[in-house]
Amino acid sequence: MHFEYKNILSLPVSVLLFHGGKQSGDKVFVTNGLEENFENAQKTCKEAGGVLATPRSAAENSATQEILHTKGESAKAFLGISDLQVEGIFRYLSGEKIIFTNWNLGEPNNSKDNEDCVEIQDNGKWNDIPCSLLRLVICEFQ
């Protein structure tokens, strides 16, 4: 039996989309439906072969937001962005400076000097929050 590599590689994307994933360009965003703290959310995505959702455009932000809408009005999820390395300088988990933002008005504000992680809210806006909070896990796959 002969298989084309193209067909084999497209299978996981089809499966992810079938299970409620959203596609934006060459990325697919998927949730496992669980809430975890930032560190565990990162591990969950890495173990699955992806990374925490990291919108780099309005379209990718919208795809992530659409997944939140399937989980109820007040759903929030971690993004793969933090200022854990240098306070006040938000970066992707890869270490690069962020190239797209969608902050809520007045954010990021580092309330109580304890907000180093970033959540996306059901309106698509971002807020800096403590990394210890539990948020929906949304992973991206490329």
Side-chain angles (χ1 to χ4, degrees):
M1 189 176 278
H2 181 304
F3 291 103
E4 289 186 41
Y5 284 111
K6 182 172 75 175
N7 292 338
I8 292 171
L9 293 175
S10 66
L11 179 62
V13 170
S14 302
V15 170
L16 292 173
L17 291 173
F18 181 76
H19 287 285
K22 300 293 178 188
Q23 188 165 15
S24 178
D26 61 351
K27 291 183 181 178
V28 175
F29 299 87
V30 180
T31 183
N32 62 2
L34 302 177
E35 291 188 349
E36 297 183 28
N37 67 30
F38 184 71
E39 184 178 342
N40 289 337
Q42 285 183 79
K43 287 180 188 174
T44 296
C45 291
K46 186 176 182 179
E47 288 170 2
V51 295
L52 269 176
T54 309
R56 294 174 185 250
S57 68
E60 291 179 7
N61 201 72
S62 292
T64 307
Q65 181 184 3
E66 286 177 33
I67 291 176
L68 284 178
H69 287 163
T70 68
K71 299 301 175 190
E73 278 185 31
S74 61
K76 300 171 184 173
F78 278 119
L79 295 179
I81 298 169
S82 79
D83 70 346
L84 286 165
Q85 292 177 339
V86 178
E87 180 58 42
I89 300 176
F90 285 87
R91 296 183 178 275
Y92 298 118
L93 298 179
S94 62
E96 305 163 80
K97 283 189 177 179
I98 55 177
I99 57 172
F100 167 83
T101 65
N102 198 33
W103 295 108
N104 261 328
L105 187 62
E107 300 294 345
N109 65 1
N110 197 32
S111 179
K112 299 179 184 173
D113 288 332
N114 188 31
E115 295 188 330
D116 296 320
C117 291
V118 179
E119 70 179 2
I120 182 172
Q121 301 169 332
D122 64 336
N123 63 1
K125 295 293 186 179
W126 301 359
N127 178 36
D128 59 333
I129 61 169
C131 300
S132 59
L133 295 180
L134 300 180
R135 292 293 182 262
L136 184 67
V137 177
I138 299 178
C139 304
E140 75 177 42
F141 300 88
Q142 212 166 355

